PDB file of all heavy atoms in Angstrom:
ATOM      1  N   VAL A   1       0.840  -1.175  -0.011  1.00 47.00           N
ATOM      2  CA  VAL A   1       0.005   0.009   0.006  1.00 47.00           C
ATOM      3  C   VAL A   1       0.886   1.235   0.007  1.00 47.00           C
ATOM      4  O   VAL A   1       1.959   1.229   0.551  1.00 47.00           O
ATOM      5  CB  VAL A   1      -0.930   0.024   1.200  1.00 47.00           C
ATOM      6  CG1 VAL A   1      -0.173   0.190   2.505  1.00 47.00           C
ATOM      7  CG2 VAL A   1      -2.021   1.071   1.050  1.00 47.00           C
ATOM      8  N   GLU A   2       0.449   2.275  -0.680  1.00 59.00           N
ATOM      9  CA  GLU A   2       1.196   3.503  -0.708  1.00 59.00           C
ATOM     10  C   GLU A   2       0.546   4.598   0.065  1.00 59.00           C
ATOM     11  O   GLU A   2       1.061   5.074   1.073  1.00 59.00           O
ATOM     12  CB  GLU A   2       1.377   3.939  -2.162  1.00 59.00           C
ATOM     13  CG  GLU A   2       2.060   2.923  -3.085  1.00 59.00           C
ATOM     14  CD  GLU A   2       1.113   1.884  -3.595  1.00 59.00           C
ATOM     15  OE1 GLU A   2      -0.110   2.126  -3.575  1.00 59.00           O
ATOM     16  OE2 GLU A   2       1.572   0.813  -4.001  1.00 59.00           O
ATOM     17  N   THR A   3      -0.646   4.994  -0.344  1.00 79.00           N
ATOM     18  CA  THR A   3      -1.320   6.161   0.251  1.00 79.00           C
ATOM     19  C   THR A   3      -2.797   5.913   0.277  1.00 79.00           C
ATOM     20  O   THR A   3      -3.313   4.944  -0.287  1.00 79.00           O
ATOM     21  CB  THR A   3      -1.043   7.407  -0.582  1.00 79.00           C
ATOM     22  OG1 THR A   3      -1.569   7.200  -1.886  1.00 79.00           O
ATOM     23  CG2 THR A   3       0.448   7.742  -0.653  1.00 79.00           C
ATOM     24  N   PHE A   4      -3.535   6.844   0.937  1.00 87.00           N
ATOM     25  CA  PHE A   4      -4.972   6.823   0.871  1.00 87.00           C
ATOM     26  C   PHE A   4      -5.450   6.845  -0.596  1.00 87.00           C
ATOM     27  O   PHE A   4      -6.344   6.124  -0.994  1.00 87.00           O
ATOM     28  CB  PHE A   4      -5.585   8.001   1.626  1.00 87.00           C
ATOM     29  CG  PHE A   4      -6.999   8.288   1.238  1.00 87.00           C
ATOM     30  CD1 PHE A   4      -8.040   7.537   1.707  1.00 87.00           C
ATOM     31  CD2 PHE A   4      -7.282   9.359   0.354  1.00 87.00           C
ATOM     32  CE1 PHE A   4      -9.360   7.779   1.298  1.00 87.00           C
ATOM     33  CE2 PHE A   4      -8.561   9.632  -0.031  1.00 87.00           C
ATOM     34  CZ  PHE A   4      -9.623   8.841   0.446  1.00 87.00           C
ATOM     35  N   GLY A   5      -4.803   7.700  -1.383  1.00 87.00           N
ATOM     36  CA  GLY A   5      -5.228   7.851  -2.806  1.00 87.00           C
ATOM     37  C   GLY A   5      -5.085   6.517  -3.567  1.00 87.00           C
ATOM     38  O   GLY A   5      -5.986   6.144  -4.351  1.00 87.00           O
ATOM     39  N   ALA A   6      -3.982   5.814  -3.339  1.00 85.00           N
ATOM     40  CA  ALA A   6      -3.781   4.530  -4.000  1.00 85.00           C
ATOM     41  C   ALA A   6      -4.833   3.510  -3.591  1.00 85.00           C
ATOM     42  O   ALA A   6      -5.349   2.753  -4.371  1.00 85.00           O
ATOM     43  CB  ALA A   6      -2.385   4.005  -3.727  1.00 85.00           C
ATOM     44  N   ARG A   7      -5.151   3.527  -2.292  1.00 86.00           N
ATOM     45  CA  ARG A   7      -6.158   2.587  -1.777  1.00 86.00           C
ATOM     46  C   ARG A   7      -7.541   2.915  -2.299  1.00 86.00           C
ATOM     47  O   ARG A   7      -8.294   2.018  -2.710  1.00 86.00           O
ATOM     48  CB  ARG A   7      -6.118   2.595  -0.247  1.00 86.00           C
ATOM     49  CG  ARG A   7      -7.127   1.610   0.341  1.00 86.00           C
ATOM     50  CD  ARG A   7      -6.672   1.122   1.679  1.00 86.00           C
ATOM     51  NE  ARG A   7      -5.543   0.224   1.590  1.00 86.00           N
ATOM     52  CZ  ARG A   7      -5.032  -0.447   2.635  1.00 86.00           C
ATOM     53  NH1 ARG A   7      -5.572  -0.303   3.849  1.00 86.00           N
ATOM     54  NH2 ARG A   7      -4.002  -1.240   2.488  1.00 86.00           N
ATOM     55  N   LEU A   8      -7.880   4.180  -2.354  1.00 91.00           N
ATOM     56  CA  LEU A   8      -9.183   4.568  -2.905  1.00 91.00           C
ATOM     57  C   LEU A   8      -9.301   4.167  -4.360  1.00 91.00           C
ATOM     58  O   LEU A   8     -10.327   3.616  -4.800  1.00 91.00           O
ATOM     59  CB  LEU A   8      -9.385   6.090  -2.787  1.00 91.00           C
ATOM     60  CG  LEU A   8     -10.632   6.668  -3.440  1.00 91.00           C
ATOM     61  CD1 LEU A   8     -11.896   6.065  -2.803  1.00 91.00           C
ATOM     62  CD2 LEU A   8     -10.651   8.207  -3.338  1.00 91.00           C
ATOM     63  N   LYS A   9      -8.256   4.389  -5.127  1.00 89.00           N
ATOM     64  CA  LYS A   9      -8.294   4.012  -6.542  1.00 89.00           C
ATOM     65  C   LYS A   9      -8.438   2.510  -6.714  1.00 89.00           C
ATOM     66  O   LYS A   9      -9.196   2.045  -7.573  1.00 89.00           O
ATOM     67  CB  LYS A   9      -7.010   4.472  -7.248  1.00 89.00           C
ATOM     68  CG  LYS A   9      -7.006   4.238  -8.746  1.00 89.00           C
ATOM     69  CD  LYS A   9      -5.750   4.862  -9.369  1.00 89.00           C
ATOM     70  CE  LYS A   9      -5.813   4.631 -10.900  1.00 89.00           C
ATOM     71  NZ  LYS A   9      -4.610   5.255 -11.548  1.00 89.00           N
ATOM     72  N   ARG A  10      -7.776   1.725  -5.861  1.00 86.00           N
ATOM     73  CA  ARG A  10      -7.916   0.259  -5.950  1.00 86.00           C
ATOM     74  C   ARG A  10      -9.332  -0.156  -5.575  1.00 86.00           C
ATOM     75  O   ARG A  10      -9.932  -1.030  -6.265  1.00 86.00           O
ATOM     76  CB  ARG A  10      -6.915  -0.388  -5.003  1.00 86.00           C
ATOM     77  CG  ARG A  10      -6.898  -1.928  -5.153  1.00 86.00           C
ATOM     78  CD  ARG A  10      -5.738  -2.544  -4.455  1.00 86.00           C
ATOM     79  NE  ARG A  10      -5.799  -2.403  -3.013  1.00 86.00           N
ATOM     80  CZ  ARG A  10      -4.895  -2.878  -2.179  1.00 86.00           C
ATOM     81  NH1 ARG A  10      -3.838  -3.491  -2.667  1.00 86.00           N
ATOM     82  NH2 ARG A  10      -5.020  -2.708  -0.890  1.00 86.00           N
ATOM     83  N   LEU A  11      -9.904   0.406  -4.545  1.00 91.00           N
ATOM     84  CA  LEU A  11     -11.298   0.091  -4.172  1.00 91.00           C
ATOM     85  C   LEU A  11     -12.252   0.462  -5.332  1.00 91.00           C
ATOM     86  O   LEU A  11     -13.155  -0.287  -5.662  1.00 91.00           O
ATOM     87  CB  LEU A  11     -11.680   0.826  -2.906  1.00 91.00           C
ATOM     88  CG  LEU A  11     -11.145   0.292  -1.574  1.00 91.00           C
ATOM     89  CD1 LEU A  11     -11.315   1.299  -0.456  1.00 91.00           C
ATOM     90  CD2 LEU A  11     -11.790  -1.036  -1.247  1.00 91.00           C
ATOM     91  N   ARG A  12     -12.028   1.613  -5.901  1.00 91.00           N
ATOM     92  CA  ARG A  12     -12.892   2.109  -6.979  1.00 91.00           C
ATOM     93  C   ARG A  12     -12.807   1.122  -8.161  1.00 91.00           C
ATOM     94  O   ARG A  12     -13.840   0.813  -8.762  1.00 91.00           O
ATOM     95  CB  ARG A  12     -12.452   3.507  -7.400  1.00 91.00           C
ATOM     96  CG  ARG A  12     -13.302   4.096  -8.522  1.00 91.00           C
ATOM     97  CD  ARG A  12     -13.000   5.551  -8.688  1.00 91.00           C
ATOM     98  NE  ARG A  12     -11.610   5.831  -9.105  1.00 91.00           N
ATOM     99  CZ  ARG A  12     -11.155   5.649 -10.323  1.00 91.00           C
ATOM    100  NH1 ARG A  12     -11.942   5.171 -11.302  1.00 91.00           N
ATOM    101  NH2 ARG A  12      -9.910   5.957 -10.629  1.00 91.00           N
ATOM    102  N   THR A  13     -11.627   0.608  -8.436  1.00 90.00           N
ATOM    103  CA  THR A  13     -11.466  -0.289  -9.540  1.00 90.00           C
ATOM    104  C   THR A  13     -12.123  -1.627  -9.263  1.00 90.00           C
ATOM    105  O   THR A  13     -12.803  -2.227 -10.135  1.00 90.00           O
ATOM    106  CB  THR A  13      -9.936  -0.554  -9.790  1.00 90.00           C
ATOM    107  OG1 THR A  13      -9.312   0.707 -10.124  1.00 90.00           O
ATOM    108  CG2 THR A  13      -9.751  -1.481 -10.972  1.00 90.00           C
ATOM    109  N   ILE A  14     -11.963  -2.137  -8.038  1.00 90.00           N
ATOM    110  CA  ILE A  14     -12.595  -3.401  -7.632  1.00 90.00           C
ATOM    111  C   ILE A  14     -14.130  -3.337  -7.775  1.00 90.00           C
ATOM    112  O   ILE A  14     -14.778  -4.266  -8.219  1.00 90.00           O
ATOM    113  CB  ILE A  14     -12.224  -3.770  -6.184  1.00 90.00           C
ATOM    114  CG1 ILE A  14     -10.714  -4.142  -6.116  1.00 90.00           C
ATOM    115  CG2 ILE A  14     -13.057  -4.914  -5.660  1.00 90.00           C
ATOM    116  CD1 ILE A  14     -10.194  -4.308  -4.698  1.00 90.00           C
ATOM    117  N   PHE A  15     -14.672  -2.175  -7.407  1.00 92.00           N
ATOM    118  CA  PHE A  15     -16.151  -2.018  -7.468  1.00 92.00           C
ATOM    119  C   PHE A  15     -16.622  -1.486  -8.815  1.00 92.00           C
ATOM    120  O   PHE A  15     -17.818  -1.175  -8.970  1.00 92.00           O
ATOM    121  CB  PHE A  15     -16.585  -1.078  -6.317  1.00 92.00           C
ATOM    122  CG  PHE A  15     -16.662  -1.748  -4.975  1.00 92.00           C
ATOM    123  CD1 PHE A  15     -15.534  -2.044  -4.263  1.00 92.00           C
ATOM    124  CD2 PHE A  15     -17.914  -2.086  -4.447  1.00 92.00           C
ATOM    125  CE1 PHE A  15     -15.593  -2.621  -3.020  1.00 92.00           C
ATOM    126  CE2 PHE A  15     -18.000  -2.707  -3.215  1.00 92.00           C
ATOM    127  CZ  PHE A  15     -16.857  -2.981  -2.492  1.00 92.00           C
ATOM    128  N   HIS A  16     -15.714  -1.333  -9.772  1.00 91.00           N
ATOM    129  CA  HIS A  16     -16.070  -0.904 -11.151  1.00 91.00           C
ATOM    130  C   HIS A  16     -16.768   0.479 -11.103  1.00 91.00           C
ATOM    131  O   HIS A  16     -17.812   0.684 -11.714  1.00 91.00           O
ATOM    132  CB  HIS A  16     -16.971  -1.918 -11.841  1.00 91.00           C
ATOM    133  CG  HIS A  16     -16.413  -3.302 -11.838  1.00 91.00           C
ATOM    134  ND1 HIS A  16     -15.281  -3.644 -12.543  1.00 91.00           N
ATOM    135  CD2 HIS A  16     -16.799  -4.421 -11.185  1.00 91.00           C
ATOM    136  CE1 HIS A  16     -15.020  -4.908 -12.361  1.00 91.00           C
ATOM    137  NE2 HIS A  16     -15.922  -5.411 -11.551  1.00 91.00           N
ATOM    138  N   LEU A  17     -16.162   1.402 -10.374  1.00 92.00           N
ATOM    139  CA  LEU A  17     -16.739   2.746 -10.227  1.00 92.00           C
ATOM    140  C   LEU A  17     -15.843   3.788 -10.903  1.00 92.00           C
ATOM    141  O   LEU A  17     -14.637   3.614 -11.003  1.00 92.00           O
ATOM    142  CB  LEU A  17     -16.901   3.106  -8.732  1.00 92.00           C
ATOM    143  CG  LEU A  17     -17.785   2.165  -7.909  1.00 92.00           C
ATOM    144  CD1 LEU A  17     -17.669   2.541  -6.430  1.00 92.00           C
ATOM    145  CD2 LEU A  17     -19.210   2.241  -8.368  1.00 92.00           C
ATOM    146  N   SER A  18     -16.446   4.883 -11.344  1.00 92.00           N
ATOM    147  CA  SER A  18     -15.712   5.987 -11.919  1.00 92.00           C
ATOM    148  C   SER A  18     -15.456   7.014 -10.832  1.00 92.00           C
ATOM    149  O   SER A  18     -16.041   6.958  -9.708  1.00 92.00           O
ATOM    150  CB  SER A  18     -16.487   6.620 -13.049  1.00 92.00           C
ATOM    151  OG  SER A  18     -17.665   7.255 -12.550  1.00 92.00           O
ATOM    152  N   GLN A  19     -14.606   7.996 -11.131  1.00 91.00           N
ATOM    153  CA  GLN A  19     -14.419   9.098 -10.158  1.00 91.00           C
ATOM    154  C   GLN A  19     -15.723   9.866  -9.963  1.00 91.00           C
ATOM    155  O   GLN A  19     -15.985  10.379  -8.871  1.00 91.00           O
ATOM    156  CB  GLN A  19     -13.304  10.006 -10.651  1.00 91.00           C
ATOM    157  CG  GLN A  19     -11.934   9.345 -10.577  1.00 91.00           C
ATOM    158  CD  GLN A  19     -10.833  10.285 -11.058  1.00 91.00           C
ATOM    159  OE1 GLN A  19     -11.075  11.294 -11.719  1.00 91.00           O
ATOM    160  NE2 GLN A  19      -9.584   9.976 -10.686  1.00 91.00           N
ATOM    161  N   ASP A  20     -16.547   9.944 -10.999  1.00 90.00           N
ATOM    162  CA  ASP A  20     -17.872  10.623 -10.856  1.00 90.00           C
ATOM    163  C   ASP A  20     -18.722   9.871  -9.853  1.00 90.00           C
ATOM    164  O   ASP A  20     -19.492  10.450  -9.066  1.00 90.00           O
ATOM    165  CB  ASP A  20     -18.548  10.688 -12.184  1.00 90.00           C
ATOM    166  CG  ASP A  20     -17.941  11.762 -13.097  1.00 90.00           C
ATOM    167  OD1 ASP A  20     -17.455  12.767 -12.579  1.00 90.00           O
ATOM    168  OD2 ASP A  20     -17.933  11.545 -14.349  1.00 90.00           O
ATOM    169  N   ASP A  21     -18.644   8.497  -9.893  1.00 92.00           N
ATOM    170  CA  ASP A  21     -19.419   7.698  -8.958  1.00 92.00           C
ATOM    171  C   ASP A  21     -18.996   7.979  -7.522  1.00 92.00           C
ATOM    172  O   ASP A  21     -19.831   8.146  -6.614  1.00 92.00           O
ATOM    173  CB  ASP A  21     -19.235   6.229  -9.272  1.00 92.00           C
ATOM    174  CG  ASP A  21     -19.824   5.766 -10.592  1.00 92.00           C
ATOM    175  OD1 ASP A  21     -20.896   6.316 -10.951  1.00 92.00           O
ATOM    176  OD2 ASP A  21     -19.256   4.866 -11.241  1.00 92.00           O
ATOM    177  N   ILE A  22     -17.684   8.073  -7.290  1.00 94.00           N
ATOM    178  CA  ILE A  22     -17.172   8.368  -5.964  1.00 94.00           C
ATOM    179  C   ILE A  22     -17.655   9.742  -5.501  1.00 94.00           C
ATOM    180  O   ILE A  22     -18.054   9.951  -4.331  1.00 94.00           O
ATOM    181  CB  ILE A  22     -15.631   8.326  -5.933  1.00 94.00           C
ATOM    182  CG1 ILE A  22     -15.146   6.897  -6.286  1.00 94.00           C
ATOM    183  CG2 ILE A  22     -15.114   8.708  -4.546  1.00 94.00           C
ATOM    184  CD1 ILE A  22     -15.598   5.822  -5.337  1.00 94.00           C
ATOM    185  N   ALA A  23     -17.661  10.716  -6.418  1.00 93.00           N
ATOM    186  CA  ALA A  23     -18.108  12.042  -6.102  1.00 93.00           C
ATOM    187  C   ALA A  23     -19.540  12.038  -5.631  1.00 93.00           C
ATOM    188  O   ALA A  23     -19.966  12.753  -4.709  1.00 93.00           O
ATOM    189  CB  ALA A  23     -17.945  12.970  -7.305  1.00 93.00           C
ATOM    190  N   ARG A  24     -20.376  11.206  -6.290  1.00 93.00           N
ATOM    191  CA  ARG A  24     -21.804  11.101  -5.896  1.00 93.00           C
ATOM    192  C   ARG A  24     -21.938  10.423  -4.524  1.00 93.00           C
ATOM    193  O   ARG A  24     -22.802  10.792  -3.725  1.00 93.00           O
ATOM    194  CB  ARG A  24     -22.573  10.355  -6.927  1.00 93.00           C
ATOM    195  CG  ARG A  24     -22.898  11.165  -8.201  1.00 93.00           C
ATOM    196  CD  ARG A  24     -23.890  10.459  -9.079  1.00 93.00           C
ATOM    197  NE  ARG A  24     -23.315   9.263  -9.744  1.00 93.00           N
ATOM    198  CZ  ARG A  24     -22.663   9.293 -10.888  1.00 93.00           C
ATOM    199  NH1 ARG A  24     -22.511  10.444 -11.548  1.00 93.00           N
ATOM    200  NH2 ARG A  24     -22.171   8.182 -11.416  1.00 93.00           N
ATOM    201  N   ILE A  25     -21.070   9.426  -4.256  1.00 94.00           N
ATOM    202  CA  ILE A  25     -21.140   8.704  -2.976  1.00 94.00           C
ATOM    203  C   ILE A  25     -20.846   9.654  -1.808  1.00 94.00           C
ATOM    204  O   ILE A  25     -21.551   9.641  -0.784  1.00 94.00           O
ATOM    205  CB  ILE A  25     -20.143   7.527  -2.959  1.00 94.00           C
ATOM    206  CG1 ILE A  25     -20.633   6.452  -3.969  1.00 94.00           C
ATOM    207  CG2 ILE A  25     -20.003   6.942  -1.543  1.00 94.00           C
ATOM    208  CD1 ILE A  25     -19.563   5.397  -4.251  1.00 94.00           C
ATOM    209  N   VAL A  26     -19.790  10.475  -1.918  1.00 93.00           N
ATOM    210  CA  VAL A  26     -19.442  11.359  -0.834  1.00 93.00           C
ATOM    211  C   VAL A  26     -20.316  12.600  -0.819  1.00 93.00           C
ATOM    212  O   VAL A  26     -20.453  13.252   0.194  1.00 93.00           O
ATOM    213  CB  VAL A  26     -17.941  11.724  -0.872  1.00 93.00           C
ATOM    214  CG1 VAL A  26     -17.111  10.479  -0.729  1.00 93.00           C
ATOM    215  CG2 VAL A  26     -17.580  12.435  -2.153  1.00 93.00           C
ATOM    216  N   GLY A  27     -20.843  12.994  -1.970  1.00 90.00           N
ATOM    217  CA  GLY A  27     -21.754  14.133  -2.039  1.00 90.00           C
ATOM    218  C   GLY A  27     -21.033  15.461  -1.956  1.00 90.00           C
ATOM    219  O   GLY A  27     -20.095  15.661  -1.201  1.00 90.00           O
ATOM    220  N   GLY A  28     -21.468  16.375  -2.827  1.00 78.00           N
ATOM    221  CA  GLY A  28     -20.917  17.750  -2.783  1.00 78.00           C
ATOM    222  C   GLY A  28     -19.498  17.902  -3.329  1.00 78.00           C
ATOM    223  O   GLY A  28     -18.866  18.926  -3.115  1.00 78.00           O
ATOM    224  N   ARG A  29     -19.016  16.886  -4.019  1.00 83.00           N
ATOM    225  CA  ARG A  29     -17.658  16.970  -4.633  1.00 83.00           C
ATOM    226  C   ARG A  29     -17.787  16.727  -6.110  1.00 83.00           C
ATOM    227  O   ARG A  29     -18.713  16.127  -6.614  1.00 83.00           O
ATOM    228  CB  ARG A  29     -16.716  15.915  -4.049  1.00 83.00           C
ATOM    229  CG  ARG A  29     -16.030  16.327  -2.768  1.00 83.00           C
ATOM    230  CD  ARG A  29     -16.881  16.096  -1.547  1.00 83.00           C
ATOM    231  NE  ARG A  29     -16.166  16.331  -0.324  1.00 83.00           N
ATOM    232  CZ  ARG A  29     -16.752  16.200   0.876  1.00 83.00           C
ATOM    233  NH1 ARG A  29     -18.023  15.959   0.971  1.00 83.00           N
ATOM    234  NH2 ARG A  29     -16.072  16.459   1.954  1.00 83.00           N
ATOM    235  N   GLY A  30     -16.764  17.183  -6.820  1.00 85.00           N
ATOM    236  CA  GLY A  30     -16.693  16.934  -8.247  1.00 85.00           C
ATOM    237  C   GLY A  30     -15.621  15.922  -8.580  1.00 85.00           C
ATOM    238  O   GLY A  30     -14.833  15.514  -7.739  1.00 85.00           O
ATOM    239  N   ARG A  31     -15.573  15.559  -9.834  1.00 83.00           N
ATOM    240  CA  ARG A  31     -14.594  14.578 -10.301  1.00 83.00           C
ATOM    241  C   ARG A  31     -13.155  15.071 -10.057  1.00 83.00           C
ATOM    242  O   ARG A  31     -12.301  14.275  -9.710  1.00 83.00           O
ATOM    243  CB  ARG A  31     -14.792  14.313 -11.798  1.00 83.00           C
ATOM    244  CG  ARG A  31     -13.876  13.286 -12.380  1.00 83.00           C
ATOM    245  CD  ARG A  31     -14.176  13.039 -13.829  1.00 83.00           C
ATOM    246  NE  ARG A  31     -13.307  12.006 -14.380  1.00 83.00           N
ATOM    247  CZ  ARG A  31     -13.377  11.568 -15.620  1.00 83.00           C
ATOM    248  NH1 ARG A  31     -14.268  12.093 -16.451  1.00 83.00           N
ATOM    249  NH2 ARG A  31     -12.551  10.636 -16.035  1.00 83.00           N
ATOM    250  N   THR A  32     -12.944  16.350 -10.152  1.00 84.00           N
ATOM    251  CA  THR A  32     -11.597  16.903  -9.942  1.00 84.00           C
ATOM    252  C   THR A  32     -11.112  16.664  -8.501  1.00 84.00           C
ATOM    253  O   THR A  32      -9.956  16.347  -8.276  1.00 84.00           O
ATOM    254  CB  THR A  32     -11.583  18.398 -10.229  1.00 84.00           C
ATOM    255  OG1 THR A  32     -11.962  18.616 -11.600  1.00 84.00           O
ATOM    256  CG2 THR A  32     -10.187  18.979  -9.992  1.00 84.00           C
ATOM    257  N   THR A  33     -12.023  16.820  -7.571  1.00 88.00           N
ATOM    258  CA  THR A  33     -11.669  16.583  -6.166  1.00 88.00           C
ATOM    259  C   THR A  33     -11.255  15.137  -5.961  1.00 88.00           C
ATOM    260  O   THR A  33     -10.237  14.865  -5.266  1.00 88.00           O
ATOM    261  CB  THR A  33     -12.860  16.911  -5.253  1.00 88.00           C
ATOM    262  OG1 THR A  33     -13.197  18.274  -5.371  1.00 88.00           O
ATOM    263  CG2 THR A  33     -12.535  16.588  -3.798  1.00 88.00           C
ATOM    264  N   ILE A  34     -11.974  14.211  -6.535  1.00 91.00           N
ATOM    265  CA  ILE A  34     -11.639  12.796  -6.405  1.00 91.00           C
ATOM    266  C   ILE A  34     -10.309  12.512  -7.058  1.00 91.00           C
ATOM    267  O   ILE A  34      -9.480  11.760  -6.506  1.00 91.00           O
ATOM    268  CB  ILE A  34     -12.753  11.874  -7.011  1.00 91.00           C
ATOM    269  CG1 ILE A  34     -14.142  12.269  -6.461  1.00 91.00           C
ATOM    270  CG2 ILE A  34     -12.455  10.436  -6.715  1.00 91.00           C
ATOM    271  CD1 ILE A  34     -14.255  12.303  -4.971  1.00 91.00           C
ATOM    272  N   GLY A  35     -10.068  13.099  -8.183  1.00 85.00           N
ATOM    273  CA  GLY A  35      -8.775  12.958  -8.852  1.00 85.00           C
ATOM    274  C   GLY A  35      -7.621  13.454  -7.998  1.00 85.00           C
ATOM    275  O   GLY A  35      -6.567  12.832  -7.928  1.00 85.00           O
ATOM    276  N   ASN A  36      -7.848  14.573  -7.307  1.00 82.00           N
ATOM    277  CA  ASN A  36      -6.820  15.124  -6.422  1.00 82.00           C
ATOM    278  C   ASN A  36      -6.567  14.199  -5.204  1.00 82.00           C
ATOM    279  O   ASN A  36      -5.447  14.044  -4.784  1.00 82.00           O
ATOM    280  CB  ASN A  36      -7.250  16.513  -5.931  1.00 82.00           C
ATOM    281  CG  ASN A  36      -7.098  17.560  -7.003  1.00 82.00           C
ATOM    282  OD1 ASN A  36      -6.362  17.402  -7.959  1.00 82.00           O
ATOM    283  ND2 ASN A  36      -7.834  18.669  -6.865  1.00 82.00           N
ATOM    284  N   TRP A  37      -7.642  13.591  -4.704  1.00 89.00           N
ATOM    285  CA  TRP A  37      -7.469  12.621  -3.622  1.00 89.00           C
ATOM    286  C   TRP A  37      -6.581  11.458  -4.057  1.00 89.00           C
ATOM    287  O   TRP A  37      -5.660  11.070  -3.392  1.00 89.00           O
ATOM    288  CB  TRP A  37      -8.825  12.074  -3.162  1.00 89.00           C
ATOM    289  CG  TRP A  37      -9.695  13.062  -2.421  1.00 89.00           C
ATOM    290  CD1 TRP A  37      -9.359  14.293  -2.012  1.00 89.00           C
ATOM    291  CD2 TRP A  37     -11.015  12.837  -2.010  1.00 89.00           C
ATOM    292  NE1 TRP A  37     -10.423  14.893  -1.345  1.00 89.00           N
ATOM    293  CE2 TRP A  37     -11.443  13.992  -1.339  1.00 89.00           C
ATOM    294  CE3 TRP A  37     -11.921  11.796  -2.103  1.00 89.00           C
ATOM    295  CZ2 TRP A  37     -12.720  14.140  -0.803  1.00 89.00           C
ATOM    296  CZ3 TRP A  37     -13.193  11.919  -1.572  1.00 89.00           C
ATOM    297  CH2 TRP A  37     -13.599  13.073  -0.898  1.00 89.00           C
ATOM    298  N   GLU A  38      -6.908  10.900  -5.233  1.00 85.00           N
ATOM    299  CA  GLU A  38      -6.175   9.755  -5.730  1.00 85.00           C
ATOM    300  C   GLU A  38      -4.718  10.102  -6.061  1.00 85.00           C
ATOM    301  O   GLU A  38      -3.814   9.244  -5.968  1.00 85.00           O
ATOM    302  CB  GLU A  38      -6.890   9.147  -6.896  1.00 85.00           C
ATOM    303  CG  GLU A  38      -8.224   8.494  -6.554  1.00 85.00           C
ATOM    304  CD  GLU A  38      -8.863   7.790  -7.747  1.00 85.00           C
ATOM    305  OE1 GLU A  38      -8.290   7.828  -8.836  1.00 85.00           O
ATOM    306  OE2 GLU A  38      -9.926   7.178  -7.534  1.00 85.00           O
ATOM    307  N   ALA A  39      -4.490  11.330  -6.461  1.00 80.00           N
ATOM    308  CA  ALA A  39      -3.134  11.786  -6.801  1.00 80.00           C
ATOM    309  C   ALA A  39      -2.319  12.216  -5.571  1.00 80.00           C
ATOM    310  O   ALA A  39      -1.133  12.536  -5.660  1.00 80.00           O
ATOM    311  CB  ALA A  39      -3.189  12.940  -7.797  1.00 80.00           C
ATOM    312  N   GLY A  40      -2.989  12.272  -4.397  1.00 77.00           N
ATOM    313  CA  GLY A  40      -2.334  12.697  -3.168  1.00 77.00           C
ATOM    314  C   GLY A  40      -2.170  14.182  -3.070  1.00 77.00           C
ATOM    315  O   GLY A  40      -1.355  14.676  -2.246  1.00 77.00           O
ATOM    316  N   LEU A  41      -2.957  14.951  -3.843  1.00 74.00           N
ATOM    317  CA  LEU A  41      -2.853  16.404  -3.786  1.00 74.00           C
ATOM    318  C   LEU A  41      -3.797  17.013  -2.776  1.00 74.00           C
ATOM    319  O   LEU A  41      -3.701  18.192  -2.469  1.00 74.00           O
ATOM    320  CB  LEU A  41      -3.130  16.998  -5.197  1.00 74.00           C
ATOM    321  CG  LEU A  41      -2.234  16.526  -6.361  1.00 74.00           C
ATOM    322  CD1 LEU A  41      -2.689  17.095  -7.655  1.00 74.00           C
ATOM    323  CD2 LEU A  41      -0.789  16.930  -6.018  1.00 74.00           C
ATOM    324  N   ALA A  42      -4.716  16.215  -2.302  1.00 79.00           N
ATOM    325  CA  ALA A  42      -5.690  16.689  -1.291  1.00 79.00           C
ATOM    326  C   ALA A  42      -6.179  15.471  -0.482  1.00 79.00           C
ATOM    327  O   ALA A  42      -6.023  14.334  -0.924  1.00 79.00           O
ATOM    328  CB  ALA A  42      -6.841  17.386  -1.951  1.00 79.00           C
ATOM    329  N   GLU A  43      -6.795  15.740   0.661  1.00 83.00           N
ATOM    330  CA  GLU A  43      -7.290  14.675   1.484  1.00 83.00           C
ATOM    331  C   GLU A  43      -8.746  14.916   1.844  1.00 83.00           C
ATOM    332  O   GLU A  43      -9.181  16.083   1.993  1.00 83.00           O
ATOM    333  CB  GLU A  43      -6.464  14.555   2.796  1.00 83.00           C
ATOM    334  CG  GLU A  43      -5.019  14.139   2.523  1.00 83.00           C
ATOM    335  CD  GLU A  43      -4.237  14.012   3.828  1.00 83.00           C
ATOM    336  OE1 GLU A  43      -4.782  14.428   4.894  1.00 83.00           O
ATOM    337  OE2 GLU A  43      -3.086  13.505   3.770  1.00 83.00           O
TER     338      GLU A  43
END
């Protein structure tokens, strides 16, 4: 394991979800925010 972002991306892949799907799950975020999480640019 590397980071939260790497783990989120792996979970998203296992569940066949897009970054837009994750944005809807957490609510009030956009695809860019999820991309930043996975890249380690934000938490």
Side-chain angles (χ1 to χ4, degrees):
V1 68
E2 303 81 20
T3 62
F4 160 78
R7 181 152 290 187
L8 174 61
K9 185 174 182 179
R10 185 168 66 180
L11 284 167
R12 181 169 62 77
T13 300
I14 291 171
F15 280 76
H16 307 292
L17 300 172
S18 67
Q19 290 180 342
D20 286 328
D21 293 326
I22 299 298
R24 284 191 289 271
I25 290 167
V26 298
R29 276 83 172 176
R31 182 177 182 179
T32 299
T33 298
I34 308 306
N36 286 338
W37 288 354
E38 293 185 357
L41 300 176
E43 296 181 350

